[in-house]
Amino acid sequence: MQFHWYEDPAALAGHAADRIAALLHRKPDAAIALPTGQTPLMLYRELAQRHRTGALSLAAAHLFNLDEYLGLPGRHPMSYAAFLRDNLIDLVDADPARVHLLDGASADPAAACAAHDRAVEAAGGLDLAILGLGVNGHIAFNEPGCSWQTRGHVVDLAEATLARHREQTGRGDLPKRGLTMGVATLREARSVLLLASGSGKRAAMAALLAGRGDPDWPVTSMLTHPDLLVLAEERLRRPLSPADGLRAAAG
Ligand code: GLP
């Protein structure tokens, strides 16, 4: 496990893009799981920019989303599928036949999760899982207390996650359940790139830095991964204040 700390979010995104470019250079048809949220936006801009200059191609890559809101069809503007299309997939040369987006509006969401898992297997397993970090330590939509043995499944979102989504979007009508890749699938990825930036994440980072697997902080399930790289904002390294502790307890 390696940690790299950044004062400058652009440098963090640049390093993440370098890792992805190196992987694609070595293995153009790599299978990559992609996060949503504020954190990867700069990375996606950087990848799109490198594609425009001819430095990067995703044409042979298999792209997967990590998670989705239950009940939102891919065409819904708040869906994670739309987010990924708008911010990355439609801006690069991704092959639609190799883009795998969880169907949040499926009549059988458990089957949609299983189909997503099968697509990962058919691609030879994930070469790279790019993860963001939830304020409560979630990865994808694997919430505190979840099993670490799971594959794709449907989840009830934690109150801290719902509050964060309300705060970020200004919308109170977002689904309270989601579809997600499971921790077991993520741990089987050959490499994991965890991106940690944004406010409210010091408690989750402190749990990771404590170096112990803790079911209350799903991100710590990655601690034993043989190839985990954490790219994080410097401010998340600062010790927790009592106020952070209270926030973590409340979350
Ligand atoms: C959401 C997503 C996660 C994401 C996390 C962090 O809940 N389900 O996959 O990593 O939030 O989001 P942000 O980067 O906006 O802080």
Side-chain angles (χ1 to χ4, degrees):
M1 173 179 44
Q2 275 188 55
F3 283 83
H4 291 256
W5 302 94
Y6 295 87
E7 293 283 359
D8 175 11
L12 190 161
H15 187 166
D18 289 345
R19 296 286 290 207
I20 295 161
L23 169 63
L24 291 167
H25 184 70
R26 196 162 31 85
K27 189 174 181 189
D29 61 346
I32 304 175
L34 299 165
T36 49
Q38 295 299 307
T39 306
L41 279 176
M42 219 177 248
L43 164 64
Y44 294 159
R45 270 201 292 276
E46 177 68 23
L47 293 175
Q49 170 64 16
R50 290 186 191 199
H51 167 67
R52 274 194 298 277
T53 62
L56 182 112
S57 171
L58 285 154
H62 296 270
L63 303 177
F64 296 86
N65 60 353
L66 287 171
D67 47 14
E68 182 56 281
Y69 282 118
L70 180 67
L72 295 193
R75 62 179 185 283
H76 191 288
M78 296 309 289
S79 71
Y80 284 177
F83 175 96
L84 281 179
R85 278 199 309 271
D86 293 349
N87 291 292
L88 181 67
I89 291 166
D90 289 353
L91 308 180
V92 294
D93 55 349
D95 173 357
R98 290 169 183 240
V99 171
H100 309 274
L101 299 172
L102 278 159
D103 179 6
S106 166
D108 186 346
C113 292
H116 204 54
D117 285 340
R118 278 197 304 277
V120 169
E121 275 167 38
L126 293 174
D127 291 291
L128 177 66
I130 307 173
L131 304 176
L133 178 63
V135 285
N136 60 358
H138 75 212
I139 46 174
F141 269 152
N142 293 281
E143 296 283 24
C146 70
S147 159
W148 293 1
Q149 315 304 327
T150 50
R151 307 213 164 265
H153 60 292
V154 177
V155 290
D156 292 326
L157 302 181
E159 189 42 52
T161 302
L162 297 171
R164 180 72 164 202
H165 291 180
R166 278 195 298 272
E167 180 191 312
Q168 280 178 332
T169 63
R171 294 177 65 136
D173 60 347
L174 291 171
K176 294 186 163 52
R177 303 183 80 200
L179 288 69
T180 187
M181 278 192 189
V183 170
T185 305
L186 298 174
R187 273 155 59 108
E188 282 166 13
R190 284 179 272 282
S191 299
V192 176
L193 181 58
L194 174 70
L195 308 178
S197 68
S199 62
K201 307 219 178 148
R202 270 157 65 200
M205 185 52 78
L208 191 66
L209 288 170
R212 244 179 315 103
D214 179 344
D216 286 341
W217 298 95
V219 67
T220 63
S221 64
M222 295 296 139
L223 280 166
T224 51
H225 192 283
D227 184 15
L228 169 66
L229 174 62
V230 182
L231 305 183
E233 251 185 304
E234 177 66 35
R235 64 174 162 155
L236 301 182
R237 183 149 58 157
R238 282 198 291 275
L240 287 167
S241 68
D244 287 314
L246 287 175
R247 242 201 324 271

